[in-house]
Amino acid sequence: MKKIILLCLGLLLLPIVQSCEENDDVKMPDPYEITWRDDAYLKFTPSNENGSNQFEYYVELETGGEEYWYLTSIDYEVSLEIGDFPISDISKVEIYAFAEENNDGTFNYLGGSEGKLLETIVDPESTFMITVTKDQLADLFSSEFSPNHNGDVLVSDIFEFKWVITGQDGAVVDTRKDCFDFNCTYSMGSRIVEIAPPIWEGTYDYEWIEVSAGGVTWGDVEVGQTGTISMALQPGSFTVYDVSDLSCDYYYGGPGALSYSYDTGLVEIIDDTWRQQQWNIIDVDGPTITVEWTYYYTVSYDEYGTFTLTRTDGQDWPSNIYTN
């Protein structure tokens, strides 16, 4: 009986022994050899003054204002990224453009599967410059744009760039065909910029017409006190003004900013300091507006007041000016 049991155990263990012997003959695959293609992509950085990657179409809001293209050329600093491999491994870079147009709610993707050749850079450096213009893109897609384009770019058009990177070894990275993440395409478009006349830019006369007891004590201002404040548009803005003194020389007041909507007349005061100054415009009368001024210590120390601002350019304030 014991011999029978041992024989059965031997038969059961035989496949396991054979399997171990067979595994000894298995050959492991060679390690994967990384190439420049594994981490190759382009990085676009707009180098314009405002860092924008959008063409700009200006719309003048004042009566009789015009509409026109203002910014129609964008310079890009393009970085060629290939990991730790030398840039000399790359023979050329080709950048292709595609377009998406909105034709009355119907979106059309233009450029087919190959795109339109935008730029070729032979023996590229790790960083190089390209310039993309509205006219250049209009020429590339003029034959594919819908009739409402009249052969030109519209503000609603979106453009997408893809690229082909060719190595000295003949290997290719073509993001027109293999694009699975965010490092294989770059997009740009246009925006509408509403140009409002500089209503608040200038120097204005102020006069305090009401000052609380706390304001007289702590603010060092009094009824009848006069002076001037000035405002200037912030660089690159058509709606936000730097204000020399939001408090009209109140001792604990100071400078800030004013945001103005030409369409609605809404005025908003911007004060990111501890002062938290606010204006409440309570009257607009020709060249003069009346403003209630408050700040952080208004409630605690009874500090507030009212002043007028009068234009010095002979113009009237817009009648729709107001604050919330």
Side-chain angles (χ1 to χ4, degrees):
M1 184 65 179
K2 183 184 293 186
K3 292 181 179 180
I4 295 174
I5 294 174
L6 292 175
L7 177 61
C8 291
L9 288 174
L11 292 173
L12 290 172
L13 293 174
L14 181 60
I16 299 176
V17 174
Q18 290 177 334
S19 175
C20 292
E21 292 175 351
E22 290 174 358
N23 287 340
D24 290 340
D25 297 331
V26 173
K27 183 178 180 181
M28 298 299 293
D30 294 332
Y32 176 73
E33 183 176 349
I34 297 175
T35 72
W36 65 266
R37 297 177 68 252
D38 292 287
D39 195 28
Y41 66 94
L42 300 183
K43 179 181 178 182
F44 289 75
T45 303
S47 61
N48 294 46
E49 183 176 346
N50 61 2
S52 173
N53 70 333
Q54 296 176 307
F55 300 134
E56 294 181 350
Y57 185 77
Y58 277 15
V59 177
E60 297 176 348
L61 297 178
E62 58 187 319
T63 303
E66 299 180 346
E67 298 183 11
Y68 51 91
W69 285 101
Y70 176 77
L71 179 61
T72 59
S73 176
I74 298 179
D75 297 323
Y76 288 101
E77 180 181 271
V78 184
S79 299
L80 173 56
E81 305 289 343
I82 56 170
D84 295 329
F85 292 87
I87 293 298
S88 59
D89 283 357
I90 305 303
S91 63
K92 68 176 178 179
V93 173
E94 297 165 295
I95 301 173
Y96 291 84
F98 299 80
E100 182 179 78
E101 64 172 7
N102 182 357
N103 187 16
D104 295 328
T106 300
F107 293 89
N108 301 319
Y109 193 70
L110 312 178
S113 60
E114 298 297 316
K116 306 286 187 179
L117 181 60
L118 181 73
E119 194 83 34
T120 299
I121 302 93
V122 179
D123 295 327
E125 300 291 335
S126 58
T127 300
F128 54 88
M129 299 294 298
I130 68 169
T131 299
V132 180
T133 70
K134 180 182 74 70
D135 290 343
Q136 181 183 19
L137 294 171
D139 289 342
L140 287 176
F141 293 98
S142 60
S143 62
E144 295 189 51
F145 279 145
S146 299
N148 66 332
H149 280 67
N150 293 319
D152 201 1
V153 171
L154 298 183
V155 175
S156 58
D157 294 332
I158 298 174
F159 298 95
E160 182 180 32
F161 303 147
K162 296 184 179 182
W163 45 85
V164 178
I165 304 174
T166 303
Q168 300 288 359
D169 58 0
V172 172
V173 169
D174 188 345
T175 65
R176 298 173 302 173
K177 301 175 182 178
D178 301 312
C179 183
F180 304 107
D181 57 33
F182 295 104
N183 286 334
C184 57
T185 182
Y186 182 83
S187 298
M188 63 166 293
S190 305
R191 70 185 183 113
I192 295 175
V193 179
E194 295 182 339
I195 309 301
I199 297 296
W200 291 85
E201 194 160 60
T203 300
Y204 305 103
D205 295 329
Y206 76 76
E207 180 180 359
W208 284 95
I209 61 174
E210 180 185 352
V211 183
S212 67
V216 173
T217 301
W218 300 104
D220 197 24
V221 294
E222 58 185 8
V223 172
Q225 181 174 322
T226 61
T228 62
I229 64 171
S230 60
M231 305 189 199
L233 277 169
Q234 291 185 353
S237 175
F238 297 98
T239 59
V240 181
Y241 299 77
D242 287 323
V243 184
S244 62
D245 192 342
L246 288 170
S247 68
C248 295
D249 291 326
Y250 194 91
Y251 184 78
Y252 289 106
L258 178 149
S259 174
Y260 174 62
S261 170
Y262 181 80
D263 285 335
T264 67
L266 176 62
V267 174
E268 296 179 294
I269 296 302
I270 303 169
D271 183 2
D272 296 326
T273 70
W274 64 268
R275 299 181 182 92
Q276 300 176 26
Q277 300 171 97
Q278 291 296 325
W279 285 10
N280 179 29
I281 297 175
I282 60 175
D283 186 55
V284 181
D285 184 13
T288 301
I289 59 174
T290 303
V291 179
E292 292 178 338
W293 177 85
T294 58
Y295 85 128
Y296 182 79
Y297 286 117
T298 290
V299 176
S300 302
Y301 292 91
D302 186 39
E303 297 183 54
Y304 60 88
T306 303
F307 55 80
T308 59
L309 281 182
T310 302
R311 301 184 69 95
T312 59
D313 57 3
Q315 303 295 315
D316 289 341
W317 292 104
S319 59
N320 67 337
I321 285 180
Y322 75 101
T323 50
N324 283 330

